[in-house]
């Protein structure tokens, strides 16, 4: 039965995502009401620039005072799509204190302060939902939190940043320069306000922290995630990858480690075989593999960024939270009972592609091979190309720990015959 009193929703931020949330709330109002069981009323929109024309939004609803809006006391749901840490954090906790539940797309904040925000939601008996924070439109938080709640997830691996996938894809397939590809991603609304968050891997690391926490029922914060961005990936790296039948993707990888007694979470560029499904994830699309004991391998794929796709996830949460409000319940909160420690990157085991500039003279290959052997790193293949008394040596290893590989590279740098280490890239997905 339809409740006549509407659910009052406040929108904080009306940028790329917020404007699409407002548009869908208006255009799909009847369907949303039918699905929730009550009409949804846009009760206020907090913005920074009040003079901007916002199509479809009653100017009387617009305010620059987000704090006063969340303190009104009659709100059912606050949708936070401002981004960043403050004032978003204080606005969310203030919303809970004044009786509202919260839907947010803010991965940076959730990866840093998720535990405190969940505690605040619990304390006030309210919901905190954030499907949009990871992989945009792709349902991932809810499947991990609800559908897979009876299984044991062992690994989450995927492409969770649309901007960097867009850039890497352009560089790989069209030979476009880095800046040109980044400018296009920004114009399409994929990039964060400061694109450093995307290209240096902070955005993906925040998502990895959120995914690892939910998947392994533990707490993983942004600082726990090992992070390397993609701004140093070169055309030469793509050429090396092609020679190996691979491409390069910025991956987020969360795994159980040490016989399941700990977890690791990392974000870095990696070579993956062209035959791997992640290799064919194009443009700003995201794709995430989840491996669980009983389910086996699951793949989630779709638009990971952009206004409308992200708004789709926000609206899904709005409906879920709205239904909870009507029935006087809340959805599942934080599940961190496993309390697993996060291991350092040194314990991660994977394969490596190392490109060295060496002197082209007798015994060099043997010297290099000895260094690998001394550090317990087994070599899979070696390829050498000569150029004027110098040579480039490409070594691909079998699986080894990051600590062993680090020691190997340090020792290689100390060899007189090694002129430089041109690139080190992990090889995943085999
Ligand atoms: N764009 C995407 O593809 C995407 C995808 C998933 C998640 N997100 C997340 O969604 C959130 C919003 O992203 P966006 O792309 O819409 O960013 P945006 O910069 O386009 O929008 C944010 C808006 O908030 C406004 N704002 C800033 N401070 C404010 C304040 N104090 N009061 C009211 N308004 C304020 C800004 O003026 C801006 O219009 C971020 O957390 C982002 O990480 C974005
Ligand atoms: N900047 C992010 C938005 C989606 O979270 C990306 O490019 O994936
Ligand atoms: Na999502």
């Amino acid at each position: 039965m339809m409740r006549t009193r509407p659910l009052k929703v406040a929108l904080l931020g009306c940028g790329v995502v917020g404007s699409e949330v407002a548009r869908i709330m208006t255009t799909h109002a009847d369907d949303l009401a039918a699905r929730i069981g009550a009409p949804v009323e846009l009760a206020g929109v907090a913005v920074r620039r009040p003079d901007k024309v916002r199509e479809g939004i009653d100017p009387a609803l617009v305010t620059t005072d987000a704090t006063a809006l969340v303190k009104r006391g009659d709100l059912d749901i606050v949708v936070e799509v401002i981004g960043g840490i403050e004032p978003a954090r204080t606005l969310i906790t203030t919303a809970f204190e004044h009786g509202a539940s919260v839907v947010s797309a803010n991965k940076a904040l959730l990866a840093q302060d998720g535990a405190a925000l969940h505690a605040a939601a619990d304390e006030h008996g309210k919901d905190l939902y954030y499907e949009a924070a990871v992989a945009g439109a792709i349902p991932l938080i809810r499947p991990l939190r609800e559908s897979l709640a009876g299984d044991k997830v062992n690994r989450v691996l995927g492409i969770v940043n649309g901007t960097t996938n867009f850039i890497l894809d352009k560089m790989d397939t069209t030979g476009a320069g880095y800046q040109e590809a980044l400018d296009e991603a920004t114009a399409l609304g994929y990039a964060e306000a400061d694109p450093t968050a995307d290209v240096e891997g902070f955005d993906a690391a925040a998502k990895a922290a959120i995914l690892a926490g939910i998947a392994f029922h533990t707490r993983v914060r942004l600082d726990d995630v090992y992070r390397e961005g993609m701004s140093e990936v070169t055309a030469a790296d793509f050429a090396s990858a092609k020679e190996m039948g691979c491409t390069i993707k910025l991956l987020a990888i969360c795994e159980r480690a040490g016989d399941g007694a700990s977890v690791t979470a990392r974000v870095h560029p990696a070579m993956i075989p062209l035959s791997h499904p992640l290799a064919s994830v194009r443009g700003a699309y995201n794709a995430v593999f989840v491996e669980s004991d009983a389910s086996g391998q699951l793949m989630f794929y779709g638009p990971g960024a952009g206004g409308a796709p992200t708004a789709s996830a926000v609206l899904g949460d709005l409906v879920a939270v709205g239904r909870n409000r009507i029935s006087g319940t809340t959805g599942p909160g934080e599940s961190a009972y496993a309390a697993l420690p996060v291991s350092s990157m040194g314990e991660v085991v994977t394969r490596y592609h190392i490109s060295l500039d060496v002197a082209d003279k007798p015994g060099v290959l043997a010297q290099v091979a000895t260094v690998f052997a001394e550090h317990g790193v087994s070599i899979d293949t070696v390829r050498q190309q000569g150029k004027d008394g110098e040579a480039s040596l490409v070594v691909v290893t079998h699986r080894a720990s990051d600590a062993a590989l680090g020691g190997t590279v340090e020792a290689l740098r100390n060899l007189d015959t090694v002129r430089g280490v041109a690139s080190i890239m992990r090889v995943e997905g085999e």
Side-chain angles (χ1 to χ4, degrees), residues 114-116 118-119 209 212-213 217-221 224 263 334-336 339-340 342:
H118 274 292
H217 299 269
T218 191
R219 270 191 195 140
V220 179
R221 298 181 75 238
D224 297 321
V263 297
E334 188 192 29
S335 170
L340 297 168
V342 183

Side-chain angles (χ1 to χ4, degrees), residues 107 160-163 190-192 198 203 207 304-305:
K107 53 263 165 143
V160 294
N161 183 268
T163 301
Y190 304 145
E192 297 298 307
D198 294 302
D203 177 82
K207 292 164 177 167

Side-chain angles (χ1 to χ4, degrees), residues 241-285:
K242 273 203 177 87
E243 279 177 31
M244 279 186 61
C246 288
T247 188
I248 298 170
K249 295 291 188 188
L250 186 75
L251 297 183
I253 305 172
C254 312
E255 294 169 307
R256 292 188 188 271
D259 291 334
S262 64
V263 297
T264 59
R266 54 192 163 115
V267 166
H268 52 71
M271 291 186 183
I272 50 165
L274 290 170
S275 56
H276 193 282
L278 287 178
S280 47
V281 175
R282 311 293 302 275
Y285 274 70

